[in-house]
């Protein structure tokens, strides 16, 4: 039997050991019970990023030194406040035996899924080998965080084919950072080895968003160090073509291994594939960070983040929008097709076999020639007939009010306040009926406000208040004669009480709300991401303005996701009417963009027409309710003269404190408004006298010097 001296020596040794921590899952439970985000905890512990917190909470690493003592002290305090279910409040502070690592689904990945009934959104999930997480408390105490705790939703079901999520960011040491703090070891030293490892061992990919669609190809993002390790140049010399030369050793390796590149070659977004074998796709998407794959305008600050944080940003975007396949504009277009696949299986009545057939409500597999007024002179079909009948010109507002219409009372107001509509194009896409069939020509037809198409009509006789822009032209100037208009523009003329007499029309009889699932998914992504930044629907107008003022500083990663979502909306709509590019192009020649089914200038015109009409309707209602008229409008931004520096000083509130319907309303959802900027009224008038648009420069800074954008 051990002596008393030996037992005391053993006890003393235990007392001198480093303090122990509770199991990883318990650490995450305690933090979430306290309402503290990983980002805030990292800030409190003076860490450079949230990755260390993620690693501590999934058991991949442990704190050391002074941080270990500080972290243990914090966890002890939380354990006393928030005991685990079924344990007394004064539970012992001794840690439980270490458990196997249990990866947690972090907050950004728990937002609600898209509302499309047939959507099957894949999200980052825990690895199959991990045990189930302990049950969480049914209720949590009030949050003490600087931002409200986001509402939690059940994580989507695990797709066993893609246990490690949709993507990974590969660094030079072979670490592939995935979603949810996952780190994989990638042994690849060449691009070919990387492609084969991704398809065979990585467990990366994402399930299709529609039951008739296709699974998303796995995405590997390369840091500068990883690119160099794989034999790629750190900088892409071909800045115009944005691709490696065909004789580059990496390109030769790919082709020698019987892999293929798309026609765009090996650029910032490279797709490497082999022809599918049966249902199994063999395709990997690469994004090279040092080649500017993530444009700073759409992904602010992301290219300079640590690999784990890049994975977090792209992972949230992939879960809420789509696995990135290129720039945000490309993603916007790809999302349309992913949610409305062009084909579906149909049974051949003669043979009884299943064959590929048109998916109702989609744009099909073949491009569609536009109606003559809906295209442009360069389009082969329009160039061939020598069309001289004019073109549709549905664009966003760029209007400045004439200084001659300003009153003394307006000029004496101290402030010019800018309001910006949240994702105005996305709001316009809601329940938007567009044409799905070929355009048909009609002469002097009756006007049907629910039939999408282009109408030749003279609206020059309509006289409106000169202190408001005309709703019929992007410049806000009164029309001078007959012109082509999209259905929403003509319908608004009728709504204002004016007779419209149609001269000609190109109409589409088969119609549908093609953009509905696209709108619904992006709207949910936008609202959920704003909520992660502390901007929620339940805020008062005063609280909303305060939350918007600080939301970008709450979490740079989620702020970047929000910027990418907005760029996806704008770019996706813009891609519907992509022009020919290159100095060598000649009129009448086809160009790549017009040869895809999603080249649809009529759908773009419908979205912009509806957005501009929506803006004018609010401007008109504001003038009737408040007597205020705008100084300028630029797309979805409007500037008003104001007695105070806040929108609350001029928006139409009733005596009850509620906003009056019909005008501008503050709020976080698409179509509602937020503060864009505040300047002095004198500043705005001086710009107007120079012919400049105050709405372009209302944010301040050097915008006036660099023409705004």
């Amino acid at each position: 039997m051990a002596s008393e001296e030996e037992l005391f020596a053993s006890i003393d040794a235990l007392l001198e050991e480093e303090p122990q921590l509770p199991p990883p899952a318990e650490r995450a439970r305690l933090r979430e019970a306290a309402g503290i985000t990983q980002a805030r905890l990292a800030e409190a512990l003076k860490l450079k990023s949230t990755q260390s917190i993620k690693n501590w909470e999934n058991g991949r690493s442990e704190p050391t030194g002074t941080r270990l003592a500080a972290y243990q002290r914090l966890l002890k305090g939380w354990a006393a406040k928030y005991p685990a279910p079924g344990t007394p409040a004064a539970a012992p502070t001794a840690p439980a035996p270490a458990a196997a690592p249990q990866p947690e689904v972090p907050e950004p990945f728990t937002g609600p899924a898209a509302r499309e009934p047939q959507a099957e959104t894949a999200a980052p999930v825990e690895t199959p080998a991990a045990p189930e997480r302990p049950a969480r408390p049914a209720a949590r105490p009030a949050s003490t965080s600087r931002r409200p705790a986001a509402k939690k939703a059940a994580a989507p079901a695990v797709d066993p084919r893609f246990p490690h999520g949709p993507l990974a960011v590969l660094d030079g040491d072979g670490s592939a950072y995935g979603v949810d703090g996952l780190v994989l070891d990638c042994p690849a030293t060449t691009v070919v080895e990387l492609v084969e490892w991704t398809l065979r061992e990585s467990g990366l990919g994402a399930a299709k968003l529609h039951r008739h669609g296709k699974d998303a190809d796995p995405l590997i993002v390369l840091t500068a160090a990883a690119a160099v390790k794989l034999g790629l140049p750190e900088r892409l010399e071909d800045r115009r073509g944005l691709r490696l030369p065909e004789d580059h050793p990496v390109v030769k390796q790919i082709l020698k291994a019987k892999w293929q590149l798309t026609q765009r070659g090996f650029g910032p977004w490279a797709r490497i594939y082999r022809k599918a074998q049966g249902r199994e796709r063999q395709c990997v998407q690469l994004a090279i960070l040092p080649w500017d794959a993530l444009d700073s305008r759409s992904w602010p600050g992301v290219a300079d983040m640590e690999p784990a944080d890049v994975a977090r940003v792209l992972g949230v975007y992939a879960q809420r929008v789509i696995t990135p396949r290129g720039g945000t504009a490309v993603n916007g277009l790809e999302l349309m097709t992913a949610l409305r696949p062009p084909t579906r299986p149909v049974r051949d009545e003669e043979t009884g076999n299943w064959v590929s057939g048109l998916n109702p409500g989609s744009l099909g597999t073949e491009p569609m020639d536009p109606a003559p007024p809906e295209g442009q002179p360069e389009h082969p079909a329009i160039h061939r007939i020598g069309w001289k009948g004019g073109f549709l010109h549905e664009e966003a507002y760029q209007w400045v009010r004439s200084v001659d219409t300003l009153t003394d009372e307006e000029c004496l107001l101290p402030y010019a306040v800018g309001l910006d509509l949240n994702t105005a194009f996305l709001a316009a896409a809601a329940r938007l009926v567009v044409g799905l069939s070929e355009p048909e020509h009609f002469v002097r037809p009756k006007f049907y406000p629910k039939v999408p198409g282009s109408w030749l009509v003279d609206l020059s006789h309509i006289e409106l208040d000169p202190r408001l822009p005309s709703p019929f032209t992007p410049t806000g100037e009164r029309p001078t004669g007959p012109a082509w208009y999209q259905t929403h523009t003509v319908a608004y003329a009728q709504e204002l009480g004016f007779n419209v007499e149609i001269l000609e029309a190109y109409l589409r009889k088969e119609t549908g709300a093609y953009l509905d699932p696209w709108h619904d998914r992006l709207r949910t992504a936008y609202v959920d991401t704003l909520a992660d930044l502390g901007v929620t629907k339940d805020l008062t107008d005063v609280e909303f303005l305060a939350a918007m003022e600080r939301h970008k500083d709450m979490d740079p990663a989620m702020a970047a996701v929000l910027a990418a979502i907005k760029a996806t909306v704008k770019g996706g709509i813009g891609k519907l009417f992509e022009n020919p590019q290159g100095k060598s192009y000649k009129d009448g020649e086809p160009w790549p963009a017009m040869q895809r089914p999603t080249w649809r200038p009529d759908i773009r015109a419908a979205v912009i027409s509806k957005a501009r009409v929506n803006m004018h309707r609010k401007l008109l209602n504001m003038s009737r309710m408040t007597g205020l008229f705008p100084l300028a409008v630029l797309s979805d931004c409007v500037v008003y003269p104001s007695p105070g520096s806040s929108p609350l000083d001029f928006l139409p509130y009733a005596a009850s404190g509620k906003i009056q319907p019909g005008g501008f309303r503050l709020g976080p959802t698409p179509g509602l408004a937020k503060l864009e900027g505040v300047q002095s009224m004198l500043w705005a008038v001086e710009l107007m006298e120079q012919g400049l648009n105050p709405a372009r420069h209302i944010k301040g800074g050097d915008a006036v010097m660099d023409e705004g954008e």
Side-chain angles (χ1 to χ4, degrees), residues 224-472:
V228 172
K229 178 182 177 181
L230 296 174
L232 297 169
E234 189 168 346
R235 175 178 169 80
L236 194 59
E237 296 299 330
D238 180 8
R239 307 306 298 171
R240 176 179 290 275
L242 291 176
R243 69 181 70 187
L244 286 180
E246 294 183 1
D247 60 353
H248 190 278
V250 170
V251 176
K252 290 183 176 179
Q253 289 171 8
I254 292 170
L255 300 179
K256 184 178 180 180
K258 307 300 182 183
W259 291 96
Q260 299 181 53
L261 293 165
T262 61
Q263 290 184 349
R264 293 193 61 84
F266 200 117
W269 289 89
R271 187 169 294 176
I272 303 174
Y273 70 98
R274 283 177 181 154
K275 290 185 178 180
Q277 297 178 352
R279 289 189 171 185
E280 294 298 321
R281 288 169 59 82
Q282 298 185 84
C283 183
V284 174
Q285 178 78 61
L286 299 183
I288 295 88
L289 290 180
W291 297 1
D292 301 325
L294 298 180
D295 188 297
S296 60
R297 293 168 296 180
S298 302
W299 302 94
V302 178
D304 298 324
M305 291 181 179
E306 294 296 321
D309 292 320
V310 175
R312 179 190 173 209
V313 171
L314 297 180
V316 174
Y317 181 89
Q319 186 260 326
R320 295 184 177 178
V321 183
I322 193 172
T323 302
R325 307 179 189 185
T328 48
V330 171
N331 296 336
L333 211 59
E334 293 281 355
L335 182 61
M336 294 180 195
T337 303
L339 295 170
R340 293 277 197 191
T343 62
R344 65 168 183 170
V346 296
R347 189 178 294 277
D348 187 313
E349 294 183 359
E350 294 184 2
T351 64
N353 296 329
W354 289 96
V355 296
S356 178
L358 176 68
N359 186 27
S362 75
L363 300 183
T365 59
E366 298 297 325
M368 184 182 296
D369 286 343
E374 293 171 351
Q376 58 215 96
E378 302 93 333
H379 192 283
I382 298 171
H383 185 269
R384 186 170 56 251
I385 64 174
W387 173 259
K388 302 294 183 182
F391 292 94
L392 203 63
H393 191 51
E394 297 286 9
E395 299 293 341
Y397 269 134
Q398 296 192 50
W399 171 80
V400 180
R401 183 173 157 192
S402 170
V403 292
D404 297 335
T405 64
L406 293 174
T407 64
D408 292 340
E409 290 79 5
E410 287 177 313
C411 291
L412 291 174
L413 290 173
Y415 295 101
V417 177
L419 288 177
D420 181 75
L421 296 182
N422 302 321
T423 55
F425 288 168
L426 184 60
R431 313 302 171 250
L432 178 70
V433 176
V434 301
L436 300 177
S437 56
E438 297 277 355
E440 299 182 34
H441 183 233
F442 298 87
V443 177
R444 293 195 174 276
K446 179 182 176 182
F447 177 65
Y448 296 96
K450 293 186 178 181
V451 176
S454 301
W455 312 78
L456 181 62
V457 58
D458 190 348
L459 302 178
S460 61
H461 64 284
I462 298 179
E463 186 171 356
L464 300 172
D465 194 311
R467 293 172 292 181
L468 290 175
S470 167
F472 311 126

Side-chain angles (χ1 to χ4, degrees), residues 51 54-55 58 60 104 106 109 177-184 308:
Q51 186 58 41
K54 293 177 182 177
N55 288 340
N58 59 34
R60 293 190 180 89
E104 300 269 351
F109 293 95
Y177 295 85
V179 297
D180 192 16
L182 177 71
V183 182
L184 302 172

